[in-house]
Amino acid sequence: IASPYPHAPMMALADGLPAREDAWMFAEPVRLDAGLNGMTLFPSAYLDVTSAEATALMPALNAQFAADQISFHLGQEGRWYVRHPVGETPITHSIESAKIGMAAKLLPQSSGKLNWSAIQNEAQMVLHHHPVNEAREADGKPTINGIWFWGGGTVPADTTAISEVDIVATDSPLVTQLAAHAGLRVTAAGPLELFALPENAASTSLL
């Protein structure tokens, strides 16, 4: 499934990053293993990358791509992002699509001057030689040998929601950010009887 909606910059905003500047993508640390039935992708949850490991990897990645105006950033809850020039967001696919053995066929397709396949390969080399991976290998942990880019774009222009929905009840950080961006009232999800709806509320959406 292609990921045309800019999920990453919206989440980056929620994580307190300057996502209104430039374009942003998720840059999820992964493990890619080649096999007889194709390339298997193991997502960051499988790798259990620590905050200290992620922090240690950022300078090496940023030094590698500084000339391309590409920079990596850490968000909340283990999220990784890549910031890049507007107009250089490649066509990407969600990590859920890649996990089912399709990773080799779903690599980023460049839409500008930057070669994102080459960038992905260079990132793999940076990770392969990094002390963080050497330590993980010595400890018997799976190494981080790739980065999966997806969900990129720019923050949409501010809009006023035109909707019959007045309140969005959600525990999702992404949905919270999207609803707030659309000018909707957001509350934590819970039993409907706990919500005190305003008398003029048209409806409540649970997400």
Side-chain angles (χ1 to χ4, degrees):
I1 300 173
S3 52
Y5 189 82
H7 294 88
M10 299 305 294
M11 278 305 305
L13 273 183
D15 284 350
L17 296 170
R20 294 186 187 279
E21 303 171 12
D22 298 323
W24 295 67
M25 284 190 291
F26 290 116
E28 183 161 348
V30 298
R31 178 167 181 81
L32 296 165
D33 285 343
L36 294 177
N37 296 320
M39 187 179 295
T40 301
L41 181 148
F42 297 92
S44 57
Y46 166 81
L47 298 174
D48 193 22
V49 182
T50 68
S51 175
E53 289 174 331
T55 300
L57 288 167
M58 290 296 107
L61 288 168
N62 286 330
Q64 179 70 25
F65 300 108
D68 294 318
Q69 297 180 291
I70 292 173
S71 58
F72 290 78
H73 302 262
L74 297 178
Q76 300 177 27
E77 299 180 4
R79 286 185 284 272
W80 290 27
Y81 299 93
V82 62
R83 178 178 176 175
H84 57 283
V86 173
E88 293 290 346
T89 301
I91 298 169
T92 62
H93 297 266
S94 72
I95 200 159
E96 293 300 320
S97 301
K99 284 195 301 184
I100 59 175
M102 299 288 290
K105 298 180 180 179
L106 300 179
L107 298 176
Q109 301 174 41
S110 298
S111 58
K113 296 180 180 179
L114 293 178
N115 184 336
W116 283 97
S117 292
I119 290 168
Q120 201 165 37
N121 289 336
E122 289 180 46
Q124 288 179 326
M125 295 300 296
V126 171
L127 294 170
H128 177 73
H129 296 292
H130 200 280
V132 163
N133 266 328
E134 293 176 356
R136 288 181 67 93
E137 189 171 21
D139 291 339
K141 297 178 180 179
T143 56
I144 309 159
N145 71 354
I147 291 177
W148 194 260
F149 300 115
W150 68 282
T154 58
V155 174
D158 288 328
T159 59
T160 300
I162 302 175
S163 172
E164 294 183 356
V165 175
D166 296 288
I167 301 172
V168 175
T170 181
D171 289 325
S172 164
L174 175 59
V175 175
T176 296
Q177 183 62 39
L178 292 173
H181 188 73
L184 298 172
R185 178 182 166 189
V186 182
T187 186
L192 278 175
E193 61 267 21
L194 296 182
F195 298 139
L197 299 181
E199 293 182 2
N200 63 345
S203 64
T204 299
S205 177
L206 293 175
L207 298 170

